[in-house]
Amino acid sequence: IKMAAKLRLVQIQTKAGGEIKVGVQLQDNGSVVDITSLDASIPLDMKSFLEGGEENMQAAVRAVEEAKSQGQGMIPPSDFIIKAPIYNPEKLICVGMNYVDHCTEQNIPVPEEPVIFSKFPSSITEPNGPVILPSISNQVDYEVELAFVIGKQGKHIPVSEAMSYVAGFTVAHDVSARDWQ
């Protein structure tokens, strides 16, 4: 997840096991700063971290600065596994048929209004995790998606303020049973 402070937030688990926790992946060498070990006030899970807003973001920035200056809390890429960015969102809201080529390939007219649908949070798996295909579908399809992570609650948000509600973004792998749609 990329956030306003330009941090690459990740959820990781060390290869030795243990709990899943929030970290910040460094761009220079791919190491992850275990921000939760450097500041006990930082929640372990991404949802709680995001709910803490700017206070948690500033704590993460301070933890990264401390790790870089003191060489503490760094986990090399060989010692961790990146997990799903968030496992327990309240909602997964999706927009379908949102580009012309996708409509054309499926022989479907381009909709005049967005096609909104949802997915269950239980459909989330980690990168390189297994995708269990439905045995009764003969038309399973997949596509890459850009996923926006909304970081705070809102309603009737003016367009000019919309991006201030986006905590970050990530890549999503959407798998659909086309014959069920």
Side-chain angles (χ1 to χ4, degrees), residues 74-138:
M74 301 276 213
I75 305 172
S78 59
D79 292 352
F80 66 83
I81 300 166
I82 292 186
K83 305 302 270 183
I86 190 165
Y87 282 106
N88 53 349
E90 292 180 25
K91 300 176 189 112
L92 291 173
I93 301 170
C94 308
V95 180
M97 310 309 294
N98 55 351
Y99 60 100
V100 174
D101 287 351
H102 187 55
C103 295
T104 304
E105 93 181 6
Q106 292 193 47
N107 220 10
I108 297 173
V110 177
E112 292 183 27
E113 298 289 328
V115 176
I116 306 295
F117 64 98
S118 63
K119 293 208 177 241
F120 294 102
S122 61
S123 66
I124 296 172
T125 186
E126 63 270 353
N128 301 313
V131 174
I132 300 168
L133 302 177
S135 60
I136 59 174
S137 175
N138 295 319

Side-chain angles (χ1 to χ4, degrees), residues 35-44 48-49 52 55-56 59-60 62:
I35 58 176
T36 63
S37 71
L38 296 169
D39 184 338
S41 73
I42 297 174
L44 293 175
S48 299
F49 178 87
E55 186 176 321
N56 281 345
R62 287 190 300 274

Side-chain angles (χ1 to χ4, degrees), residues 158-176:
V159 172
S160 62
E161 296 176 27
M163 289 306 291
S164 70
Y165 287 77
V166 175
F169 56 91
T170 188
V171 176
H173 182 185
D174 181 24
V175 180
S176 301

Side-chain angles (χ1 to χ4, degrees), residues 12 14-15 25 29-33 73-81:
I12 63 161
T14 62
K15 289 186 177 175
Q25 190 167 32
N29 64 8
S31 292
V32 166
V33 176
M74 301 276 213
I75 305 172
S78 59
D79 292 352
F80 66 83
I81 300 166

